[in-house]
Amino acid sequence: MRVAVFVDGANFFFLQRDGLGWFADPRKILTYLARYGEVVDAYYYIGQQTQSDPRQQGYLDALPSMGYTVVTKPIKNIYDAQSGGYRRKANLDIEIVVDMFNTIDQYDMAILISGDGDFERALQLLRYRGKRVMVFSTEGYIAREIRNVVGGHYVDLATLRGDIEKQPVVHEVREEPAAEETAQEEQPPRSGRARWSGWPSALKTREETDT
């Protein structure tokens, strides 16, 4: 079974932060999804600021080494007539659907990590084309339209916490030298470069009310 994974990054961020209350490790996600077959492609879609936040850039730079193809779009500031202010927007739904169908001959099962109801028709058409579909999201962030399309092929990420949760980075603590060591020449402490240590808040790309 060939599996292709499509991650709606903005939707994924909010369902983790506001729905689950914890964050998943992208590498662990692919490891878990491998139980459904060979993961032949994994796409991660996210809006990106023109002047990228270092935290966001570090996270995006790490994704390819984990097995993801990263698809970005510049974040736009859109005027809101009701509030008189601007809101940030970077919707990649079209890019996700286009890639689903451009690569349709390369996979047998499409796994969507998003609860956005805008994907209802795309998932229906994939099933009509003989593809298996699964959706991973969580309660309160999965649209009814999506639940109706996939039926029992929906997995609540909350049930996978033990398998996919990102663990905090443990920093090495240097112990105080023993008394007999103080007479020796002090060596400079070793420093290490930590891998990305958390989901950057800079990944917020759409209004919190979006799904």
Side-chain angles (χ1 to χ4, degrees):
M1 176 78 68
R2 299 169 302 167
V3 176
V5 182
F6 302 89
V7 183
D8 178 355
N11 187 276
F12 187 40
F13 170 76
F14 287 114
L15 72 84
Q16 289 176 96
R17 191 195 68 176
D18 302 333
L20 296 173
W22 51 269
F23 289 97
D25 185 326
R27 191 190 307 272
K28 289 182 179 180
I29 289 175
L30 292 188
T31 299
Y32 180 86
L33 296 181
R35 66 182 56 194
Y36 296 104
E38 178 189 3
V39 178
V40 293
D41 283 308
Y43 301 92
Y44 199 108
Y45 304 82
I46 191 70
Q48 189 171 23
Q49 301 177 67
T50 304
Q51 295 182 339
S52 181
D53 184 295
R55 296 169 299 169
Q56 182 193 40
Q57 193 59 53
Y59 180 79
L60 296 179
D61 289 345
L63 287 173
S65 66
M66 300 180 193
Y68 292 87
T69 296
V70 180
V71 181
T72 63
K73 173 187 283 189
I75 297 174
K76 297 181 179 179
N77 291 317
I78 300 175
Y79 179 72
D80 188 335
Q82 283 189 319
S83 65
Y86 288 85
R87 59 188 178 92
R88 297 160 60 197
K89 187 81 171 179
N91 194 324
L92 283 96
D93 292 356
I94 293 177
E95 285 79 359
I96 294 174
V97 173
V98 168
D99 286 343
M100 281 179 168
F101 286 92
N102 277 346
T103 62
I104 194 169
D105 295 328
Q106 300 173 18
Y107 62 84
D108 306 301
M109 174 187 286
I111 293 179
L112 174 66
I113 300 181
S114 175
D116 194 333
D118 290 343
F119 294 111
E120 175 189 14
R121 187 56 178 163
L123 295 178
Q124 289 176 335
L125 292 175
L126 286 177
R127 297 191 72 175
Y128 294 157
R129 295 286 296 273
K131 302 298 177 179
R132 298 185 181 185
V133 295
M134 292 190 69
V135 170
F136 286 70
S137 185
T138 197
E139 295 306 308
Y141 289 83
I142 177 74
R144 181 180 59 185
E145 296 87 350
I146 300 297
R147 291 293 299 268
N148 290 341
V149 172
V150 299
H153 300 288
Y154 157 67
V155 177
D156 188 343
L157 289 167
T159 65
L160 307 181
R161 186 169 187 172
D163 295 303
I164 66 173
E165 183 178 13
K166 182 185 183 301
Q167 298 303 316
V169 174
V170 178
H171 297 282
E172 182 178 350
V173 177
R174 181 180 172 84
E175 296 181 356
E176 292 295 327
E180 60 271 15
E181 295 177 338
T182 58
Q184 299 179 12
E185 181 180 359
E186 184 178 0
Q187 298 296 321
R190 295 168 56 188
S191 61
R193 180 175 298 174
R195 298 177 67 89
W196 64 279
S197 58
W199 192 292
S201 60
L203 288 183
K204 179 178 179 180
T205 60
R206 63 177 67 174
E207 289 188 307
E208 296 191 12
T209 54
D210 286 355
T211 54

